[in-house]
Amino acid sequence: MIAAGPRRKRLTFAQQVVAVAAAAGIVVAVLAVAVLSGALCGWGPTACRFMSEVAPNVSTNLSWALVAISVGFVGGFFLGWARVSRFRVLRGISLGYTQVIRGTPLLIQIFAVFYLFPALNRFWESQGAGFRLDLDEVQRIIIALVLNTSAYQAEIFRAGFQSIAAGQLEAAASIGMTRPQAMRHVILPQSLRIMAPPLTNEYIIMFKDATPLAFVVAVPELVDIANRFGQDTQTVLESYLLTALTFLIVSLALTTCLRLLERRYAVPGLGISVRGGE
Amino acid sequence: MRLPQAGPRAQVALRVLRTFAPGLIVLAGAFVAIAILFPLSVAFWSAGAANTFILFLGSSSLGLLIGFFVGWGRSSGIRWVSWPLLAYVEGFRGIPRIVIVLTAVVFFPRIGLGIEWAVLWGILALGVSSGAYQAEVFRAGFQSIPRGQIEAAVSVGMNRWRSMRYVILPQVMRTVLPPLGNEWIVVLKDTSLLIVLPGFARLRIPDVIELTKVAQTLQGNTFDITQWPIIFAAAAAVYLAMTLLISGLIRFAENRYKVPGLGVMQA
Amino acid sequence: MIEVRDVHKWFGDLHVIKGVSFTVEKGQVVVIIGPSGSGKSTLLRCINRLVEPDQGQVFVDGVEITGVRKGVEKLRSQVGMVFQNFNLFTHLTALDNVCLGLTKVKGVSASRARERGNALLEKVGLRDRAGHYPAQLSGGQQQRVAIARALAMDPKAVLFDEPTSALDPELIGEVLDVMTKLALEGMTMVVVSHEMGFVRSVANRVLFMADGAVLEEGTPEEVFRSPKHDRTREFTSRILT
């Protein structure tokens, strides 16, 4: 079924947006029909309640993701830098850390960090140290998220640093720039542009896949609240479906916005595939 | 490691050793630590690890099957095939996997798959979700094959089927294995999401004992709170070992399809 | 203007430059030719210390640049360099590429830099492409922008490392024209190149390098018509059809 006719053009950016919007539209339409035909019992009013009371909690997820990504950006930068450093020890530490984080489930990481602090407190207590670190559950979740995203962003930074051709450094040196100057005016601007797509991708992943895991340790965010709402109103399945829909709509909107931003700052020929047919 | 030049057989053996050594060492280390710290639970841990592996195999295979056909369909020029599949792909990629698992938990009983089918719920949820991601990989893979390859195959006298089998697919495999491998590792780690399968709310022996549930159950039965992070660290180590070993296998598969002089397609 | 004295360079155990010495007078155009791997590019990079000589000295306009510990960068801006792969800054327009050195290294004001940049682009015939990014320019155009970038720093000499080797044949001419014009204006140039037409017409002196040493030195006629070494004869006969 490979296209036998003239090679099919890649969808332009506008076409892609329309296609995705159409897909979302179909989902909404199907659900609307289900509601109206009463196929899913106890729907209509509950659905409205859900959308007005529960759905807005998605902002919690969004803000957690934002905080985690921002702090993780700094962490990822240093880890990525260490990964390409001249010193074997730094390289080893960075590699070890990223391997462990990327090789273990985020849920386990959340559990481990979540219970680490109370455990430390208990331990210090038992040793008579008088030293405590009391972090509320949201703070602990965010720490786990930060530790996780730093490792993934480290990889992005590493690729960013290594992808700038050596010739750029040579050229900068040949016009008399010092290493810091070259870094600031030549390497970094190019690195950041190359790293923008994977970084925005990471944000979307953080929002969509990472923050909902807080549900498992019963920290209030959309999935957790939706679950409780569903239990209270006997509409668990519908609640989950609406949660899915909320995530879908928000992540599609997010993706579209971020792609638009990317296009605005894209430089022709600089690593970013400028969508919309070359 | 400086060894005298070994014969080709020995070199292969050496490569196998070097690839799987880290994973095996971590696995051994983890179980030794578990045996020392939580001696009564070793069998429990083993069961959890084995179940995780089985769940991983089932889900990633289902995802592979779905992904292949959906990706193939998406890469065709036929719009009435491609666009509905786009809805599936974009839909499932936009929904958190845990929400998909939770939905499966409430949905399947309603259509007659009772609680004894919990394992199947998990595999279906992860498989269908992963299928969307694998479909994207296959779509890109199929679309990256230059038109000229099909023309050349046809000009040699091959029919559609033959050209697919001997010309297209081998090249698609080369492109598709690394990103697929990544997704499979993600599925392995996402089996931890199956912790929400029934049994979670009750502290009796749960139906689906995968590794994360093992850790959580052990944590629930451990009085000393300072041991809790250690339990999860041990679980992390076992997961890490599994990740390393399976990545090693995938790398071997990748090598079989590598072509000297041709890079692998960069995502 | 440029003096290279007994320069040696090792890469690990490999003796890449074996005691090379030569001088370039002000306004001269010296071309270095030779088989690949002979150390020509490395030698060129020793002149602006992109590569550090392990032994020997390099003088630019009387100043020993190999002796300087700090502040090498300042000295580098005195000698411009044009690379085989252009190495234009891909995130900047042609004009910005030319002006970057002026504004960030020399501290010139943005408006004056732009003036100078436009004048230089005019000189290489690309004034109308000032707002284009490197990816939007042909190879020949990119290289000409690179030359303008090197000239922006008002260098005492310009080094060219195989400037046309990465270009499609029909684009080579426009770059050589700019280089010829530069030479006629009296710029001191050290060029590594295979373009024999250019060498014959513009070079004052030719150096033949093989295996890290300068085997032959003289005017183009001397080196091409009556070389003293067999190796030189072998090389020149192969590239001069």
Side-chain angles (χ1 to χ4, degrees), chain B residues 3-249:
Chain B
L3 289 181
Q5 266 301 345
R9 279 255 178 84
Q11 286 203 348
V12 172
L14 222 81
R15 237 182 48 201
V16 171
L17 206 67
R18 283 180 64 179
T19 315
F20 293 111
L24 290 171
I25 292 174
V26 174
L27 190 61
F31 270 92
V32 163
I34 291 169
I36 295 174
L37 293 168
F38 315 105
L40 298 171
S41 62
V42 177
F44 198 33
W45 284 89
S46 310
N51 281 338
T52 294
F53 184 66
I54 293 171
L55 288 166
F56 155 72
L57 275 182
S59 312
S60 49
S61 313
L62 178 61
L64 182 64
L65 204 64
I66 295 177
F68 177 80
F69 286 104
V70 173
W72 193 18
R74 286 268 294 132
S75 71
S76 76
I78 308 168
R79 275 189 219 176
W80 64 265
V81 165
S82 177
W83 284 31
L85 293 179
L86 170 66
Y88 159 69
V89 168
E90 287 300 313
F92 276 89
R93 283 184 1 144
I95 302 176
R97 215 163 255 184
I98 190 166
V99 174
I100 296 176
V101 174
L102 286 170
T103 311
V105 170
V106 261
F107 174 69
F108 284 119
R110 291 206 193 183
I111 63 169
L113 285 174
I115 202 168
E116 63 274 15
W117 293 102
V119 175
L120 188 62
W121 303 348
I123 291 183
L124 282 173
L126 288 184
V128 171
S129 165
S130 178
Y133 291 85
Q134 299 196 43
E136 268 305 281
V137 176
F138 274 110
R139 181 192 60 77
F142 279 114
Q143 287 182 335
S144 75
I145 306 295
R147 284 203 35 71
Q149 296 290 307
I150 313 164
E151 286 171 357
V154 168
S155 72
V156 170
M158 289 195 191
N159 60 16
R160 265 283 163 82
W161 195 238
R162 286 248 168 80
S163 60
M164 181 55 131
R165 194 176 150 205
Y166 295 110
V167 174
I168 309 293
L169 274 184
Q171 298 192 51
V172 168
M173 291 306 281
R174 184 176 63 84
T175 306
V176 131
L177 268 176
L180 275 191
N182 286 340
E183 172 60 15
W184 294 339
I185 297 292
V186 173
V187 171
L188 172 66
K189 294 189 290 176
D190 282 348
T191 56
S192 61
L193 298 179
L194 299 184
I195 194 179
V196 303
L197 290 179
F200 163 57
R202 312 152 202 152
L203 286 174
R204 288 179 281 156
I205 308 293
D207 281 0
V208 183
I209 313 173
E210 48 74 40
L211 202 51
T212 312
K213 186 161 294 177
V214 166
Q216 198 193 41
T217 311
L218 192 57
Q219 172 227 333
N221 291 336
T222 304
F223 189 61
D224 186 1
I225 193 178
T226 59
Q227 299 228 323
W228 291 0
I230 301 176
I231 295 173
F232 290 108
V238 179
Y239 272 111
L240 182 62
M242 292 180 75
T243 304
L244 289 171
L245 289 170
I246 293 177
S247 294
L249 278 170

Side-chain angles (χ1 to χ4, degrees), chain C residues 94-167:
Chain C
L95 183 60
D96 286 333
N97 260 276
V98 176
C99 296
L100 188 68
L102 285 173
T103 50
K104 302 300 174 195
V105 178
K106 283 205 156 154
V108 171
S109 76
S111 49
R112 275 189 45 214
R114 224 172 300 139
E115 255 180 64
R116 178 116 173 86
N118 278 316
L120 283 168
L121 284 176
E122 175 84 48
K123 184 177 172 141
V124 301
L126 286 171
R127 176 69 192 268
D128 56 335
R129 292 271 196 272
H132 285 219
Y133 287 92
Q136 299 168 312
L137 301 172
S138 76
Q141 291 169 331
Q142 288 187 54
Q143 194 61 299
R144 286 189 276 153
V145 174
I147 296 177
R149 178 178 64 179
L151 292 176
M153 306 300 286
D154 253 327
K156 303 195 171 133
V158 182
L159 311 172
F160 292 81
D161 184 11
E162 301 207 33
T164 56
S165 299
L167 294 176

Side-chain angles (χ1 to χ4, degrees), chain C:
Chain C
M1 170 63 73
I2 296 179
E3 187 186 341
V4 173
R5 231 188 253 172
D6 193 34
V7 163
H8 289 257
K9 179 73 189 164
W10 281 268
F11 282 134
D13 284 333
L14 199 60
H15 199 175
V16 185
I17 302 180
K18 301 173 182 160
V20 169
S21 302
F22 65 93
T23 46
V24 183
E25 304 295 332
K26 184 165 155 129
Q28 272 199 335
V29 175
V30 171
V31 180
I32 307 178
I33 62 174
S36 45
S38 53
K40 317 192 292 285
S41 294
T42 315
L43 178 63
L44 208 65
R45 280 172 170 74
C46 285
I47 298 179
N48 65 353
R49 277 182 70 182
L50 280 183
V51 164
E52 296 287 355
D54 289 323
Q55 219 184 295
Q57 297 155 306
V58 177
F59 296 83
V60 173
D61 202 16
V63 178
E64 186 192 341
I65 65 167
T66 36
V68 176
R69 205 131 293 214
K70 292 184 150 233
V72 188
E73 298 85 17
K74 274 286 156 66
L75 297 171
R76 281 207 193 104
S77 54
Q78 294 185 351
V79 178
M81 188 154 189
V82 176
F83 301 88
Q84 182 176 352
N85 289 311
F86 334 134
N87 288 341
L88 286 184
F89 304 131
T90 56
H91 60 301
L92 300 173
T93 60
L95 183 60
D96 286 333
N97 260 276
V98 176
C99 296
L100 188 68
L102 285 173
T103 50
K104 302 300 174 195
V105 178
K106 283 205 156 154
V108 171
S109 76
S111 49
R112 275 189 45 214
R114 224 172 300 139
E115 255 180 64
R116 178 116 173 86
N118 278 316
L120 283 168
L121 284 176
E122 175 84 48
K123 184 177 172 141
V124 301
L126 286 171
R127 176 69 192 268
D128 56 335
R129 292 271 196 272
H132 285 219
Y133 287 92
Q136 299 168 312
L137 301 172
S138 76
Q141 291 169 331
Q142 288 187 54
Q143 194 61 299
R144 286 189 276 153
V145 174
I147 296 177
R149 178 178 64 179
L151 292 176
M153 306 300 286
D154 253 327
K156 303 195 171 133
V158 182
L159 311 172
F160 292 81
D161 184 11
E162 301 207 33
T164 56
S165 299
L167 294 176
D168 289 334
E170 68 267 18
L171 300 172
I172 296 182
E174 60 194 62
V175 175
L176 291 181
D177 286 342
V178 172
M179 289 169 68
T180 309
K181 209 164 76 162
L182 206 56
L184 291 175
E185 285 168 10
M187 174 63 79
T188 313
M189 291 161 61
V190 183
V191 182
V192 172
S193 182
H194 303 299
E195 289 298 319
M196 291 305 141
F198 173 79
V199 177
R200 278 240 198 69
S201 54
V202 182
N204 300 112
R205 276 181 33 248
V206 173
L207 267 61
F208 174 70
M209 240 185 117
D211 296 324
V214 175
L215 288 186
E216 194 103 29
E217 199 180 323
T219 67
E221 277 66 42
E222 286 168 11
V223 176
F224 293 150
R225 299 269 174 67
S226 31
K228 302 191 195 83
H229 291 237
D230 284 331
R231 192 75 196 279
T232 321
R233 203 185 313 258
E234 232 182 273
F235 181 77
T236 50
S237 66
R238 246 186 245 142
I239 55 174
L240 299 169
T241 27

Side-chain angles (χ1 to χ4, degrees), chain A residues 97 101-102 104-107 109 142-153 202 206 210, chain B residues 189:
Chain A
Y97 178 79
I101 296 286
R102 284 156 53 112
T104 54
L106 175 56
L107 194 52
Q109 294 166 20
I142 293 194
I143 289 177
L145 292 178
V146 166
L147 291 175
N148 184 273
T149 186
S150 299
Y152 286 91
Q153 292 197 46
E202 175 69 11
M206 265 285 128
Chain B
K189 294 189 290 176

